[in-house]
């Protein structure tokens, strides 16, 4: 009996909220393990490059090697990362996220995208996570999200429906509050608290004063109109913010592609020069 309990405790998820750089490091390790397995596990330099790359990241960062190294030390202490011996004397790092988060293969792809980009719409998330593991449609994604919600790993920041914004739950408390303020949480009051008008606290709702019936009706119509306009405006702002993020990410991707092409051209020229040199040496 005690052996069973011990085994259960050893395999239970051990995740907890962590700092932004720690989330980025974990996201990079999970991503590279799936997309570039030949270069995984990653060296410290590889991790720094992965953290600061311009595509598939939000926000963009400029972490230094010592910052990433300190993050790895914290994550190793939490049991989320391990150091392994690479070729030669170069140390490398791998993740233990399947065990640490308690997720399966496709769930990890979804979590990796959330860790790399933060809050995003379900449509964005499906397309991005599908580059690591197939997710055929939104219906399939929602089944995965339901599983992750049951594990407490993800949460919805806006109501169900088209354009719903979701996020992981590994933010530190003060960060989560900031994200909710930026996105606008319309999911309703916490469990056990009464619902109030959108944007109003219990103290802001005063007892009505006697008025004529027509005045009360007119005021009621005005309040409904104002609430409707406010809700539409908020929803529009949310969609506009999502579009702006998408445009910024597309611009970053284009810039990264241009940089990659320039690097490829440079390497091609170097190879050509080396080939010419070898030919001269061989007397061809």
């Amino acid at each position: 009996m005690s052996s069973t309990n011990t085994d259960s405790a050893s395999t239970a998820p051990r995740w907890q909220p962590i700092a932004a750089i720690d989330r980025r490091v974990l996201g990079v390790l999970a991503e590279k393990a799936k997309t570039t397995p030949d270069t995984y596990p990653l060296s410290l330099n590889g991790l720094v490059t992965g953290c600061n790359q311009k595509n598939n990241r939000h926000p963009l960062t400029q972490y230094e090697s010592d910052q990433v190294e300190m993050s790895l030390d914290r994550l190793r202490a939490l049991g989320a990362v391990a150091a392994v011996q690479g070729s030669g004397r170069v140390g490398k790092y791998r993740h233990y996220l399947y065990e640490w988060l308690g997720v399966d293969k496709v769930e990890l792809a979804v979590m990796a995208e959330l860790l790399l980009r933060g809050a995003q719409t379900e449509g964005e998330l499906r397309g991005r996570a599908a580059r690591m593991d197939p997710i055929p449609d939104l219906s399939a994604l929602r089944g995965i999200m339901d599983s992750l919600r049951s594990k407490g790993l993800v949460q919805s920041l806006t109501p169900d429906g088209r354009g719903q914004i979701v996020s992981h739950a590994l933010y530190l408390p003060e960060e989560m509050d900031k994200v909710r303020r930026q996105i606008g949480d319309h999911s309703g009051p916490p469990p056990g608290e009464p619902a109030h008008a959108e944007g109003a606290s219990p103290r802001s709702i005063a007892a009505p004063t006697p008025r004529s019936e027509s005045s009360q009706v007119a005021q009621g119509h005005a309040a409904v109109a104002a609430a409707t306009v406010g809700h539409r405006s908020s929803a529009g702002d949310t969609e506009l913010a999502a579009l702006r993020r998408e445009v910024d990410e597309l611009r970053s991707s284009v810039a990264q592609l241009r940089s990659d092409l320039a690097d490829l051209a440079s390497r091609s020229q170097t190879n050509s020069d080396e080939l010419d040199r070898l030919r001269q040496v061989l007397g061809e």
Side-chain angles (χ1 to χ4, degrees):
M1 180 71 175
S2 59
S3 175
T4 302
N5 291 338
T6 301
D7 293 342
S8 176
S10 65
T11 59
R14 304 184 298 278
W15 69 271
Q16 64 183 62
I18 50 178
I21 185 173
D22 300 344
R23 299 193 301 268
R24 177 62 59 89
V25 168
L26 289 181
V28 169
L29 286 170
E31 175 195 50
K32 299 306 182 184
K34 289 177 176 291
T35 60
T36 56
D38 291 344
T39 63
Y40 179 82
L42 298 180
S43 66
L44 176 60
N45 287 339
L47 262 171
V48 173
T49 300
C51 286
N52 296 332
Q53 73 181 53
K54 299 298 188 292
N55 59 315
N56 300 320
R57 304 288 183 270
H58 182 80
L60 300 182
T61 59
Q62 288 296 326
Y63 292 132
E64 302 291 339
S65 294
D66 58 343
Q67 293 176 292
V68 174
E69 192 167 21
M70 287 189 290
S71 172
L72 287 166
D73 288 341
R74 289 192 296 271
L75 292 170
R76 289 173 65 187
L78 292 174
V81 167
V84 296
Q85 185 62 45
S87 58
R89 297 184 178 180
V90 178
K92 294 193 173 185
Y93 300 89
R94 58 158 296 177
H95 70 76
Y96 283 146
L97 289 177
Y98 289 111
E99 301 84 3
W100 197 69
L101 294 173
V103 294
D104 64 24
K105 186 171 180 282
V106 183
E107 288 173 346
L108 183 57
V110 171
M111 287 300 299
E113 280 300 331
L114 289 171
L115 291 171
L116 290 172
R117 298 183 191 245
Q120 54 196 287
T121 66
E122 286 187 327
E124 292 169 334
L125 180 58
R126 189 207 67 79
R128 291 162 177 169
R131 68 191 175 93
M132 290 186 277
D133 283 296
I135 303 176
D137 51 35
L138 277 177
S139 177
L141 174 69
R142 285 167 181 155
I144 297 166
M145 295 297 289
D146 287 342
S147 175
L148 291 172
R149 284 190 187 92
S150 71
K151 299 172 184 178
L153 287 166
V154 300
Q155 53 193 311
S156 301
L157 300 179
T158 58
D160 292 344
R162 184 176 179 274
Q164 182 182 33
I165 297 177
V166 296
S167 177
H168 63 76
L170 272 67
Y171 288 106
L172 297 173
E174 59 272 18
E175 290 180 290
M176 191 70 255
D177 290 342
K178 182 178 179 181
V179 170
R180 287 189 179 280
R181 288 196 301 270
Q182 290 175 339
I183 300 299
D185 181 14
H186 302 295
S187 59
E193 291 187 14
H196 299 293
E198 184 176 335
S201 65
R203 294 181 180 178
S204 69
I205 303 177
T209 56
R211 297 175 182 268
S212 67
E213 183 177 351
S214 60
S215 175
Q216 290 177 345
V217 171
Q219 186 177 16
H221 289 169
V224 170
T228 302
V229 170
H231 178 75
R232 288 175 178 172
S233 175
S234 177
D237 289 345
T238 299
E239 291 184 4
L240 181 59
L243 286 173
R244 284 174 176 167
R245 288 199 305 272
E246 185 69 18
V247 169
D248 288 342
E249 289 164 2
L250 287 172
R251 286 174 176 166
S252 296
S253 296
V254 170
Q256 182 65 33
L257 286 172
R258 287 175 176 168
S259 175
D260 291 344
L261 285 172
D263 182 58
L264 183 60
S266 175
R267 283 186 287 174
S268 178
Q269 183 61 49
T270 300
N271 291 338
S272 178
D273 293 343
E274 181 65 15
L275 182 59
D276 289 341
R277 188 186 68 79
L278 289 172
R279 283 173 176 168
Q280 291 174 1
V281 171
L282 295 173
E284 292 184 1

